[in-house]
Amino acid sequence: MHGRTIPTLTLLVALGAAMTGCSQVQQAMAPKPKINKVTIEAKVAAPGAAVSGKLSGGAPETLPLWPGATVVRSKATKTPQGTTWTD
């Protein structure tokens, strides 16, 4: 009988303290929630982005490039409407 009295009494004291609105006791009894935050940046084409490889001569500075892309082939085609770059 004596073995149950101490845990029961301890539980009643803790429960009573929690019900009184003591914020320190409530914080000790209820751990703070863990928040996992994941941020993924969208990669979009941007003028002047760093790329591997070489662009054909005369490519406009405003040509949108994908950051981290590799130029495999670069070609400038002249037409009556203007120059077209294929990268």
Side-chain angles (χ1 to χ4, degrees):
M1 235 3 183
H2 187 39
R4 286 189 192 171
T5 306
I6 293 174
T8 304
L9 192 56
T10 305
L11 179 62
L12 287 174
V13 169
L15 185 60
M19 295 180 92
T20 61
C22 180
S23 63
Q24 291 178 344
V25 174
Q26 288 178 348
Q27 287 176 358
M29 295 180 84
K32 292 182 180 177
K34 293 180 182 179
I35 299 172
N36 294 327
K37 184 176 181 182
V38 178
T39 303
I40 300 173
E41 257 185 68
K43 290 188 178 183
V44 296
V51 295
S52 301
K54 187 172 177 158
L55 294 170
S56 60
E61 291 181 20
T62 58
L63 182 68
L65 303 169
W66 291 97
T70 301
V71 177
V72 177
R73 187 175 40 219
S74 182
K75 179 180 171 187
T77 306
K78 295 190 184 230
T79 63
Q81 291 81 18
T83 305
T84 302
W85 283 268
T86 308
D87 301 313

